[in-house]
Amino acid sequence: MPKRAIPAQEKRGRPRSRRTETAILRAANELITSGGLADLTMEGVAERAGVGKASIYRRWPSKGALAFDAVVGGILATQPTPDTGSFEGDLRQTARSWVRSANSPRGGRTVAGLIAEVQSDPDLAKVWRERFVSRIRQERRPIIERAIARGEIPVGSDPEMILDLLYGPLYHRYLNGHLALSDSFAKELAHMVAAAAANGAVVRGREVLRSRAVR
Amino acid sequence: MPKRAIPAQEKRGRPRSRRTETAILRAANELITSGGLADLTMEGVAERAGVGKASIYRRWPSKGALAFDAVVGGILATQPTPDTGSFEGDLRQTARSWVRSANSPRGGRTVAGLIAEVQSDPDLAKVWRERFVSRIRQERRPIIERAIARGEIPVGSDPEMILDLLYGPLYHRYLNGHLALSDSFAKELAHMVAAAAANGAVVRGREVLRSRAVR
């Protein structure tokens, strides 16, 4: 469950309003986890949270926006950004907890369902990018910043590429199911991404510089 | 259009049967490309291909199976496995032609639509894995085998991991849309995967051996 769900709104809300928000997000998360996105209704959330529908609509204009905040809040609460003291350790813990969550019989396919919806709905796709993907990536940025500060990976290492190299293969197996999304895959993947970054393979513009030098 | 669509069936078919198959696959591919999977019907394919519906059902028991063969056939025909003489060159060409196809206004979102369908249909998911993902990956394996033979990457480099590291980030941006699926991303990604593999980061079990040595 989201302990702190939407930082921006939380800051300006009064304690009571914050409790209402938390109750709404928790109710939405529980409904999505048990029945999937298709079963989510504003009525159902209002009833479960013990609030009026107006209280929900005041904060979330659409079911999609509420769903994304509820799911991402749950992910950020149950999978905080790790700080193990090493780059590979942080990537490994990120990947392993992602895999555990994806394989969970309760709600493990929720994100797959959301991504499926997003493919045919451009409005939902925008909300998805802003409220889900970008927020989680922003939360993970310190992993890369700390690795650079510790000298584990070179200055100039591209955080977006590192996150794509880690999350891309995880999502790929999750959505395509061609190979096992296992704990050992998470560990190997984290090791490989860490090794690639340590070797400077993830520094942007390196190829460009190299071809310039050749000329 | 698929020049050779289903090798196994092609081998045993007589020339006329092969022409019928090609016509069916071409018709299905055209219908999917112009109208998406939702608009695909066996009737529509039969009419466009100039064959009876029985001719289709004899070869493909379901719309899903036909759709996958039609789309994968198109991909394998328009994006043959490159053989540029270098590992990075092969990965780059693979990634760039994938990106070009994904960004195509005509049919570029077809694969996204198929992946969306697959998330809520376990039978379709099985067909998807076997007829689509596994076939394309199998077709790309020589890229890795040749790189090992040329000594560009170490013996023991894991082909599955290399393909996941290349395709994962491509699919990730394609389905989530959080960052541009650009030609320069394809080039950088190919460069990074090639560099990682050349440095031995993609050799399986390396981590295990390393931790054993420490003990």
Side-chain angles (χ1 to χ4, degrees):
Chain A
M1 279 309 92
K3 273 172 216 152
R4 45 185 202 88
I6 308 181
Q9 294 188 348
E10 209 173 286
K11 267 176 221 152
R12 65 164 196 269
R14 288 159 304 151
R16 196 184 146 189
S17 170
R18 212 179 302 159
R19 279 200 303 274
T20 304
E21 248 167 48
T22 307
I24 293 168
L25 288 167
R26 179 178 296 135
N29 195 308
E30 285 167 3
L31 288 172
I32 294 167
T33 305
S34 62
L37 190 65
D39 286 355
L40 186 74
T41 61
M42 291 302 216
E43 288 76 15
V45 175
E47 198 189 316
R48 196 180 189 101
V51 302
K53 276 201 328 185
S55 294
I56 307 178
Y57 278 113
R58 202 177 303 138
R59 295 165 174 90
W60 291 277
S62 72
K63 201 178 96 165
L66 172 58
F68 291 150
D69 283 348
V71 174
V72 80
I75 290 175
L76 295 180
T78 56
Q79 300 177 43
T81 299
D83 187 3
T84 63
S86 84
F87 184 50
E88 184 173 337
D90 286 354
L91 294 182
R92 188 168 53 228
Q93 195 164 313
T94 300
R96 292 178 77 179
S97 60
W98 196 96
V99 163
R100 240 188 331 266
S101 161
N103 288 330
S104 158
R106 201 168 166 277
R109 300 307 298 174
T110 301
V111 170
L114 289 169
I115 292 178
E117 298 267 338
V118 154
Q119 301 314 314
S120 54
D121 186 334
D123 292 334
L124 212 59
K126 186 169 177 286
V127 177
W128 169 254
R129 284 194 301 273
E130 290 169 6
R131 292 197 181 238
F132 195 100
V133 187
S134 298
R135 270 181 64 198
I136 293 184
R137 289 171 80 92
Q138 202 55 43
E139 282 267 335
R140 302 304 185 230
R141 290 290 279 266
I143 292 175
I144 294 131
E145 289 156 12
R146 288 190 305 248
I148 293 174
R150 281 190 299 255
E152 289 183 281
I153 62 175
V155 175
S157 295
D158 181 0
E160 301 291 6
M161 184 62 87
I162 290 171
L163 291 173
D164 280 339
L165 283 172
L166 188 74
Y167 280 111
L170 292 174
Y171 271 100
H172 195 41
R173 291 197 175 190
Y174 175 62
L175 296 173
N176 278 336
H178 55 290
L179 287 164
L181 191 55
S182 62
D183 187 65
S184 66
F185 175 64
K187 281 158 72 177
E188 276 181 27
L189 177 64
H191 171 67
M192 288 166 189
V193 175
N199 285 323
V202 190
V203 175
R204 283 196 73 169
R206 172 165 286 230
E207 193 187 27
V208 178
L209 290 171
R210 209 182 263 168
S211 43
R212 268 189 206 140
V214 170
R215 272 172 215 164
Chain B
M1 280 309 92
K3 274 170 214 152
R4 45 185 204 89
I6 308 180
Q9 294 189 349
E10 208 173 286
K11 267 175 219 152
R12 65 164 197 268
R14 289 159 304 152
R16 197 184 145 191
S17 170
R18 213 179 302 159
R19 278 200 303 275
T20 304
E21 247 167 49
T22 306
I24 293 168
L25 287 168
R26 178 178 297 135
N29 195 306
E30 286 167 1
L31 288 171
I32 294 167
T33 305
S34 62
L37 190 65
D39 285 356
L40 186 74
T41 61
M42 292 302 214
E43 289 77 15
V45 174
E47 199 189 316
R48 196 179 189 101
V51 301
K53 275 202 327 187
S55 294
I56 306 178
Y57 279 112
R58 202 177 304 138
R59 295 165 173 90
W60 292 277
S62 71
K63 201 178 97 163
L66 172 59
F68 291 150
D69 282 349
V71 174
V72 81
I75 290 175
L76 295 180
T78 57
Q79 300 178 41
T81 299
D83 187 3
T84 64
S86 83
F87 184 51
E88 184 173 337
D90 286 356
L91 294 182
R92 188 168 51 229
Q93 195 164 313
T94 301
R96 291 179 76 180
S97 59
W98 196 96
V99 163
R100 239 189 329 267
S101 162
N103 288 330
S104 158
R106 203 167 165 277
R109 300 305 299 172
T110 301
V111 169
L114 288 170
I115 292 178
E117 298 268 337
V118 153
Q119 301 314 314
S120 54
D121 186 335
D123 292 333
L124 213 59
K126 186 169 177 287
V127 178
W128 169 254
R129 284 195 301 273
E130 290 170 5
R131 291 198 181 237
F132 195 100
V133 187
S134 298
R135 270 180 64 198
I136 293 185
R137 290 171 78 92
Q138 201 56 43
E139 282 268 336
R140 303 302 186 231
R141 290 289 279 266
I143 292 175
I144 294 131
E145 289 155 12
R146 287 190 305 249
I148 293 174
R150 281 190 298 255
E152 289 183 281
I153 62 175
V155 175
S157 295
D158 181 0
E160 301 291 6
M161 184 62 88
I162 290 171
L163 291 172
D164 281 338
L165 282 172
L166 188 74
Y167 281 111
L170 292 174
Y171 272 99
H172 194 42
R173 291 197 176 191
Y174 175 62
L175 296 173
N176 279 335
H178 55 290
L179 287 164
L181 191 55
S182 61
D183 186 65
S184 65
F185 175 64
K187 281 158 73 176
E188 275 180 28
L189 176 65
H191 171 66
M192 288 166 190
V193 175
N199 285 323
V202 190
V203 175
R204 285 195 71 169
R206 171 164 287 231
E207 193 188 26
V208 177
L209 290 171
R210 207 182 263 167
S211 42
R212 269 190 204 138
V214 170
R215 269 171 217 163

